[in-house]
Amino acid sequence: MDFSEIDFSKWTKAHWSLFSSLAVGFFMWGIIASIAPIFYPQVNQVWFLVVPIIAQLVGDLAISRLSDIRLGRKGTFFLTMGLYGTGALIIFGVSQAVVSGVISTSSPVFLPLVVLGIILGYLGIEGEVPTALSYAGETMPLSVRETMLVFLPNFDNMGAMVAAAISYLTYSLSSSYLLELRTLGILAIVMVGFAIVMRYLTPESVRWLVKAGKKEEAEKEVEKYFSPKSSKISKSVEEKVPSLGFRYAFLSIIGVSQYLTYGLMAYVIADYYFKGIAIDEIVFVANLGASVAGIIASFLVKYLPTRKFAVMSFLGGTLTMIPILLLLSGILPFSLGSFYLLLLFNMVFSEFGWATRTVLEPLLMPIKSRAFYIGLVRIVPMLAYAGSIYLTSGFSSTQFVLYNLGLWGLGLGGSLAWYYKGYDTNMVPIEETAGDETYEIKGK
């Protein structure tokens, strides 16, 4: 089947509904991912930060696999929405029960219920991410594909920023982590309601339908939702496409670098070395920097070759970590304002690194198991992150930042390897970037 009608379609109502659906999913990710770090001081146990990662691993592999072989992209979204919607209801319900005096925070059921809500939330959100990236890569027009693959995941940062801002205001007024939890639960429930409406209006991925052998249904979706432009200009991969193993290794390396440096500097450093309202401030500042950078990156990635963009991202992250090291090691005089400013700039490049990942993960993986392969790529940084949370819990602040500097260097090395051995994906049909153009164009 010829996919040019999708790649060169005008922006239609279907694209708006897809955009809205993906945006709310990523926004929910930011909210859910913030709950455990923000509530951490109430628990003050490292396992509380690690347990949700186990749920992420399951979601990444199991749900993404279901998306590839059975549920499709759209169908998966209703499963994931049900999971994180249920998690949000549990979190709100248990916090409301405490506020109403039905149970207390010392009750033996309180913490297990909170953890259950967080686990379900992480399971749904993390299962949705590989599917969402696959969905966008397969459906968005070539002219805006890279932009959308950066701009849409940036709603994760916006969700985390809003969660931190709400938590900041709530804690300022009440000094209660419990009320923070309750407020975030309410916000999550409201967003799920919006997602339900938008996802009914969203078309299924035509490329997934063809892969699943549903060619007639795919043709109906094209006719119903897409409107081709007259101009059809695209590029090709000029270099030889490296093996899937090389692509996987590259994505895993930059994934470890970006995922850990973001998580450790946006969340964990706050829990380990700061107290009170400073925790909310750090999460807010970090995600403010990432959110603004995501908007900038969504424009840059359209005009910069993806290989150059990758090197710029990880080089910038490495360089901006150095003054943070000097600050926390005492070489430069420490102040919270200085730390926040340096953290903000570092998070700009963290977001650029995330943009590199969200563009290349779906574009370098083959259609037959695209969501699963994206999930498989994400397993490596998640395991490394879980280990790093335990490892760094005994570090001094200087050792903590040195560790992050080393992680940035790892990402820089990976991006340089891709610069010399990889290829650019701008305006190239996804069948070519993923190395499976023969399979897909024939629609077998």
Side-chain angles (χ1 to χ4, degrees):
M1 180 177 178
D2 184 2
F3 295 118
S4 63
E5 292 185 79
I6 299 170
D7 288 340
F8 302 100
S9 174
K10 298 176 183 177
W11 188 266
T12 67
K13 290 181 180 179
H15 292 110
W16 277 120
S17 61
L18 177 59
F19 176 91
S20 302
S21 177
L22 295 177
V24 73
F26 280 112
F27 192 88
M28 283 292 298
W29 187 20
I31 295 171
I32 296 294
S34 301
I35 290 176
I38 287 174
F39 194 65
Y40 174 82
Q42 184 75 29
V43 181
N44 201 31
Q45 297 288 331
V46 176
W47 66 262
F48 187 71
L49 298 177
V50 175
V51 166
I53 298 174
I54 307 303
Q56 288 181 290
L57 296 174
V58 175
D60 257 320
L61 293 180
I63 297 179
S64 63
R65 187 60 178 160
L66 282 173
S67 176
D68 283 329
I69 65 175
R70 184 174 297 275
L71 296 180
R73 310 310 184 206
K74 181 177 179 177
T76 302
F77 276 180
F78 289 100
L79 169 62
T80 57
M81 187 171 54
L83 287 168
Y84 60 69
T86 302
L89 284 171
I90 292 174
I91 290 169
F92 170 73
V94 69
S95 57
Q96 181 63 36
V98 174
V99 172
S100 303
V102 177
I103 62 173
S104 67
T105 54
S106 59
S107 169
V109 300
F110 171 73
L111 190 56
L113 285 174
V114 171
V115 172
L116 175 62
I118 291 174
I119 286 174
L120 289 175
Y122 271 76
L123 181 63
I125 287 299
E126 199 59 45
E128 185 165 303
V129 172
T131 304
L133 293 177
S134 299
Y135 208 167
E138 292 165 1
T139 307
M140 289 295 179
L142 278 181
S143 60
V144 296
R145 184 184 62 191
E146 276 75 12
T147 296
M148 290 296 106
L149 282 170
V150 174
F151 190 73
L152 283 165
N154 192 43
F155 279 89
D156 165 30
N157 302 315
M158 296 179 188
M161 182 179 67
V162 169
I166 290 174
S167 298
Y168 177 90
L169 292 173
T170 305
Y171 190 86
S172 298
L173 295 172
S174 66
S175 298
S176 171
Y177 293 111
L178 180 66
L179 288 179
E180 287 185 333
L181 188 69
R182 179 172 174 262
T183 306
L184 292 179
I186 294 172
L187 177 60
I189 292 169
V190 172
M191 296 307 297
V192 169
F194 178 74
I196 290 173
V197 176
M198 298 315 302
R199 290 183 175 178
Y200 273 110
L201 302 174
T202 304
E204 179 57 272
S205 165
V206 173
R207 284 181 161 97
W208 181 84
L209 288 170
V210 171
K211 189 272 297 184
K214 302 178 180 180
K215 190 172 181 180
E216 290 185 6
E217 190 174 339
E219 290 173 348
K220 290 179 181 178
E221 291 283 273
V222 170
E223 183 179 349
K224 181 178 179 181
Y225 290 109
F226 299 96
S227 178
K229 295 180 180 178
S230 57
S231 176
K232 297 183 179 181
I233 302 173
S234 63
K235 299 179 182 178
S236 297
V237 175
E238 297 179 359
E239 295 82 0
K240 181 181 177 181
V241 175
S243 68
L244 181 59
F246 182 84
R247 286 176 273 161
Y248 178 82
F250 159 65
L251 291 172
S252 297
I253 287 171
I254 65 169
V256 167
S257 175
Q258 187 279 325
Y259 191 89
L260 269 66
T261 52
Y262 169 76
L264 293 174
M265 293 302 297
Y267 295 107
V268 178
I269 195 172
D271 288 329
Y272 285 177
Y273 307 107
F274 296 86
K275 295 180 179 180
I277 205 165
I279 294 174
D280 294 329
E281 289 176 344
I282 289 171
V283 176
F284 177 81
V285 169
N287 285 286
L288 172 63
S291 298
V292 173
I295 296 172
I296 296 171
S298 67
F299 289 98
L300 285 179
V301 76
K302 184 176 180 179
Y303 300 103
L304 278 179
T306 48
R307 285 181 294 178
K308 289 184 179 179
F309 185 84
V311 173
M312 178 193 73
S313 302
F314 289 94
L315 177 61
T318 303
L319 295 177
T320 54
M321 185 57 68
I322 294 173
I324 296 178
L325 174 62
L326 298 177
L327 192 73
L328 292 183
S329 63
I331 297 175
L332 294 176
F334 178 84
S335 71
L336 270 178
S338 299
F339 174 69
Y340 290 166
L341 183 63
L342 292 174
L343 177 64
L344 187 145
F345 279 110
N346 183 251
M347 287 296 105
V348 167
F349 288 101
S350 178
E351 179 59 23
F352 285 0
W354 172 228
T356 301
R357 293 181 60 201
T358 58
V359 168
L360 294 180
E361 282 178 359
L363 299 188
L364 300 187
M365 295 293 103
I367 181 65
K368 61 182 179 180
S369 297
R370 179 166 288 129
F372 178 73
Y373 280 138
I374 294 173
L376 201 61
V377 166
R378 294 175 59 78
I379 288 298
V380 179
M382 284 180 192
L383 290 173
Y385 185 50
S388 294
I389 290 175
Y390 275 113
L391 175 66
T392 58
S393 63
F395 282 9
S396 68
S397 58
T398 301
Q399 292 172 323
F400 188 92
V401 178
L402 270 173
Y403 185 70
N404 277 270
L405 180 60
L407 290 169
W408 273 114
L410 175 68
L412 178 59
S415 63
L416 287 171
W418 183 255
Y419 183 83
Y420 289 106
K421 297 292 186 180
Y423 50 92
D424 296 316
T425 61
N426 311 68
M427 288 298 293
V428 179
I430 195 170
E431 286 73 39
E432 285 195 51
T433 65
D436 58 5
E437 64 271 18
T438 301
Y439 176 90
E440 277 304 303
I441 289 174
K442 290 183 179 179
K444 294 181 179 179

